[in-house]
Amino acid sequence: MHELRGALSEGELEVGSAKQIMGEEKMIRALRAKASSRQGIDKEEILWILDQEDPALIDEISSVANGLREDLVGNQACIHGIIEFSNFCRRNCMYCGLRVGNNGLKRYRLSADEIVETAEAAVRDYGYKMFVLQSGEDLDYSTDDLVDIVKRIFDSTKTLIFLSIGERDITTYRKLYLAGARGVLFRFETSSLELYSKMHPGVSHKERLKHLKFLKETGYIVATGPIVGLRGQTRETYADDITMIRDSGALMVSFGPFIPHPDTPLADSPVIDPAEVRKFIIALRLAMPRIRIPVTTAMEHLWGDDFRKVALRSGANSFMLNLTPAGVRENYDIYPGKNIQPGHVHTLETFDCVMGIMKECGMELCRGFGLEFELTEEVFSVGCSMDDR
Ligand code: 5AD
Ligand code: SF4
């Protein structure tokens, strides 16, 4: 086979590349047609996008994704605030600095009062309307504790509360919904069963997906997705990840690049190329035209403000800023130095910087659904970020 390839004449090679160009043009036409009819692309097209290497071609597909975002969800970007209230975790995920096996980490747990005060201050001082309450899988907070926290935040702020607390039983999630939580950030981490088992010893992929299903059925706005850049993932896996997000009924994506942590078994693993993450964002937008795509903290951490712009121009439409109190946030060490870089911690400077990036990309901060809390899928997909300050 290799010999045959080597024996191709120049003329044959030209015919080959002309065919390739014709194939590319045909595919771009197909992507444009689907975008203009607001139809999501399928797995074959997703895979084709992920396989492209030519920067000019990727720019072209990116502008189709950006146009679709503008057409369907407008030129507005949202900011979600994230409060990391405990770094205790009972799990031992191979990639994560919070894993129970990491004895070197200083652990913390915020009290209910501290969590509620942090959220209320962010609403009062900065105008936040959406929070993610995140922790490791910390069963020290009972169902009643969590219900109390959610209820107090919801009653006093009427904000959109996302939970990112991992696997808890269905009754807990139901009670939290009734208390006022309306969203969950719950990554399936990878669509590959084999890789999932390697990364999460003794934990079931099936159980993970079962959770995702019941969370959707309970009525939560679901944000899900993979961690990308783990050894063993391929473009085929990523295409499956994207179709898995689509099939889960998620209204928002939560995905990010893996960053090696020195105190984990994956300390020496390499980091994914940002170009791959950009193609992932493009494919997400084209596969799920209305979905919310945040530029997550790991992307900013690795590649800074430039990547924030690239991501926004490739179909992303939201940000995450960190609201965890100083003094503990340094210990939310999922990957090294996560909350030490100022870039994604909420300060006036970061806020201005994010606003500047939006402006440069032709977007503005979404001013949201007003003071009344009436959340429909439609309202969520077009907005709900912050009060005007
Ligand atoms: N690098 C990047 N993301 C990580 N996560 C955990 N460890 C890492 C790491 N080393 C992600 C997981 C988890 C989310 C809270 O953080 O995907 O779902
Ligand atoms: Fe715990 Fe989540 Fe880290 Fe896994 S990824 S160890 S569940 S905090």
Side-chain angles (χ1 to χ4, degrees), residues 156-193:
S156 72
T157 64
K158 290 290 183 285
T159 44
L160 170 52
I161 303 170
F162 278 80
L163 303 165
S164 179
I165 54 174
E167 293 180 32
R168 306 280 295 222
D169 59 278
I170 186 157
T171 315
T172 302
Y173 270 114
R174 283 207 181 113
K175 286 186 174 172
L176 289 167
Y177 187 88
L178 293 175
R182 285 293 177 274
V184 285
L185 237 71
F186 189 88
R187 292 186 181 178
F188 53 75
E189 309 293 3
T190 174
S191 54
S192 156
L193 214 149

Side-chain angles (χ1 to χ4, degrees), residues 86-100 107 134-137 165-167 189 199-200 208 227 332 334:
S86 160
N87 69 353
F88 281 88
C89 189
R90 64 177 168 144
R91 300 274 194 212
N92 216 13
C93 308
M94 300 297 254
Y95 41 78
C96 180
L98 305 195
R99 66 202 305 268
V100 65
R107 305 278 171 171
Q134 189 174 85
S135 67
E137 282 196 16
I165 54 174
E167 293 180 32
E189 309 293 3
M199 291 295 122
H200 312 93
R208 192 88 190 154
I227 178 169
Y332 203 79
I334 284 181

Side-chain angles (χ1 to χ4, degrees), residues 41-43 46 186-194 196 205-206 208-210 212-213 216 222-227 236-253 280 284 287-288 291:
I41 60 173
D42 55 30
K43 186 177 165 194
I46 294 168
F186 189 88
R187 292 186 181 178
F188 53 75
E189 309 293 3
T190 174
S191 54
S192 156
L193 214 149
E194 193 192 338
Y196 191 88
H205 193 245
K206 213 166 143 197
R208 192 88 190 154
L209 298 186
K210 225 166 89 186
L212 203 54
K213 192 158 175 272
K216 177 74 190 170
V222 169
T224 193
I227 178 169
E236 180 81 28
T237 328
Y238 296 146
D240 285 336
D241 290 338
I242 293 174
T243 53
M244 187 170 269
I245 299 169
R246 183 194 63 202
D247 297 345
S248 73
L251 298 187
M252 178 168 160
V253 179
F280 197 96
L284 280 170
M288 290 162 279
I291 204 149

